[in-house]
Amino acid sequence: MNLLRTGLLLAALTALFLTAGWLVGGQGGLLIALLLALGMNAMAYWNGHKMVLRMHGARVVTRMSAPELHGLVEELAGRAGLPVPGVYVIDSDQPNAFATGRDPAHAAVAATTGILRTLPRDELAGVIAHELAHIKNRDTLIMTVAATLAGAIGFIANFAFFFGGSRGNGERGSPFGFLGTLAAMLLAPLAATLVQLAISRTREYAADRSGAEISGNPLGLARALQRIEQAAAGRVMASAERNPASAHLFIVNPLRMGGVDSLFRTHPKTEERVRRLVEMAGGAPPSASSTARPRRARRGSVPQAGGGMDSGPWGR
C-alpha cells in the first residue's frame, strides 16, 4: 500500500512539474522539465534525505557528544527491530522533530534543541518512537521525495517569474504567453498544497499508534503532542518558513498557521491525535502533574557526556 501511495504521489507531482515546464516554455520547456523530473526523482531517492537535513541546518551528533539522546534512539530502534538511524540536532527554539531517509538502512532522526529542552524523557521517547514508526512504515521515502519535488516546482515558478514573461508566443516560449507564465507561477503554492494534502493525515495516526507501541507509553506521546503544540506557539522555525514544502515531515506542523491557512493543515488536529492515544491507553487521560513544565537546560545545549537521561535536559 505504501508503494502504491508513493507511486501515485510521484506521478502527480511529476505531472505538475511537466505541466509547469510546458506552460513556461512550450514543447521545449516540456522536454526540459521531463529531463529535470527524471533527474530530480533519482536525486530525491538517493540524496533527498541529505537535502532535507541541510535545509534545516541539522548537525549530526554521536554517542560521545550526545549520549542520552543517542542512547534513547538506540534503545527504541532496538525495540522497533530497526537499524540505528543517524541522529541529528537542529538549532531551533521551536520544539519539533522529524525522520527522513529512503529506507531503514539510510534513515535519520532529527530533533530540535527546543524539544530537548522542553520534554522529559518519557515524552521524548514517544516522539522518537513516532519518528521511528515513520521509518519502519517506509513513510520517510515518500515524504522526502515529495519535499524535493515540491521544491523543484517552486524553482520552475520562480523561473517563470523572472524569465517566462520575456518570451513571446510560439514554440520557443510559453504557448499561452503571459497567461501561461502566470499559471506556472501559481503552480508553486498549488504544489505545496498538493504535497500537504497528498500525504494522508491517517499516516500520522498510524505513526502515532505504532510509535506508542514501540515506546510502550501512549500517554507519554499524548502529553508530548500537547506540550509541543503549546510550547511551539509563537516560536518561529526559520528553516521551516524558508522551506514550507518540508512541513509535513515534522511531528507537529512547524509553520505559522491561522485563518484560511488552517484549511490546508499538513497534520491532523492535535486534539484528535491525543484522543486516539488516550483510547489506546484504555481511556485514562494524561496526568495533569505530568504536563508540568520540565526544568530547562542551558540555551542551545544538547545532552552532554557524563550524565544519565534523568539528570540531563529531560530530567525532572
Side-chain angles (χ1 to χ4, degrees), residues 135-199:
I135 295 171
K136 188 171 185 177
N137 296 336
R138 305 297 179 103
D139 293 338
T140 49
L141 171 61
I142 186 172
M143 292 191 291
T144 300
V145 171
T148 303
L149 287 179
I153 295 172
F155 172 79
I156 291 288
N158 289 332
F159 182 87
F161 177 78
F162 288 107
F163 302 105
S166 63
R167 294 185 176 185
N169 296 335
E171 287 296 314
R172 299 188 62 183
S174 170
F176 299 103
F178 175 74
L179 291 179
T181 300
L182 183 62
M185 291 166 54
L186 295 177
L187 287 175
L190 176 61
T193 301
L194 177 64
V195 171
Q196 292 168 3
L197 298 182
I199 303 295

Side-chain angles (χ1 to χ4, degrees), residues 71-83 85 99 109 121-139 205-221 277 280:
L72 181 60
V73 174
E74 289 178 356
E75 175 188 339
L76 293 170
R79 292 186 194 178
L82 293 170
V109 171
R121 186 184 194 277
D122 63 327
E123 296 177 14
L124 183 64
V127 171
I128 298 299
H130 171 100
E131 299 307 330
L132 291 174
H134 277 308
I135 295 171
K136 188 171 185 177
N137 296 336
R138 305 297 179 103
D139 293 338
Y205 291 133
D208 284 343
R209 171 169 288 277
S210 297
E213 292 171 349
I214 293 170
S215 68
N217 187 3
L219 294 184
L221 178 55
L277 288 166
M280 187 177 176

